[in-house]
Amino acid sequence: MKLDDFQSCIDACNACAMACDNCAASCLREEDVKMMARCITLDMDCSQVCRLAAGVMARASENAAAVCRLCAEICRACAEECGKHQMDHCQQCADACRRCAEECERMASA
């Protein structure tokens, strides 16, 4: 596959990574940080795997499909957790994670 074939997924991964970074930082400023611990942890995991996925796709790595499958799985878990919280940053993160999971699932099955 060419880089153009991966571009929408790379864009979704980069957007998701930024949303997760923002969510984690915002969660750390919430009054009850302890209540947000799982959200913060998943945000950090998701951000990192999204950046990894974007990188392997940019290189057209033979491991892109496997990394995208993992990315989709972690994005789904992060979306589920963030979706439980009503703060805007959590809802925006959940939306970005769902979009990224869909793109990664599509790429993994291509």
Side-chain angles (χ1 to χ4, degrees):
M1 292 184 117
K2 306 179 309 268
L3 179 60
D4 290 347
D5 298 331
F6 292 110
Q7 195 59 56
S8 66
C9 192
I10 290 170
D11 292 344
C13 285
N14 286 328
C16 187
M18 288 190 297
C20 287
D21 285 342
N22 177 62
C23 187
S26 296
C27 285
L28 286 170
R29 291 188 292 272
E30 293 293 336
E31 278 188 42
D32 189 357
V33 174
K34 192 171 186 175
M35 180 189 79
M36 304 305 294
R38 185 162 191 270
C39 187
I40 294 165
T41 299
L42 283 169
D43 285 338
M44 292 188 298
D45 290 350
C46 192
S47 174
Q48 289 298 301
V49 78
C50 285
R51 286 188 171 89
L52 173 62
V56 297
M57 285 184 284
R59 294 186 299 277
S61 169
E62 65 187 49
N63 295 303
V67 173
C68 283
R69 274 191 291 280
L70 175 63
C71 187
E73 182 180 328
I74 293 172
C75 282
R76 293 267 180 225
C78 192
E80 184 178 327
E81 179 62 27
C82 285
K84 295 176 184 176
H85 306 287
Q86 294 307 308
M87 291 77 88
D88 286 343
H89 57 85
C90 284
Q91 292 300 311
Q92 291 166 2
C93 185
D95 290 343
C97 287
R98 286 185 205 102
R99 282 190 300 276
C100 188
E102 289 171 12
E103 284 289 334
C104 281
E105 287 163 353
R106 184 180 61 80
M107 287 310 303
S109 64

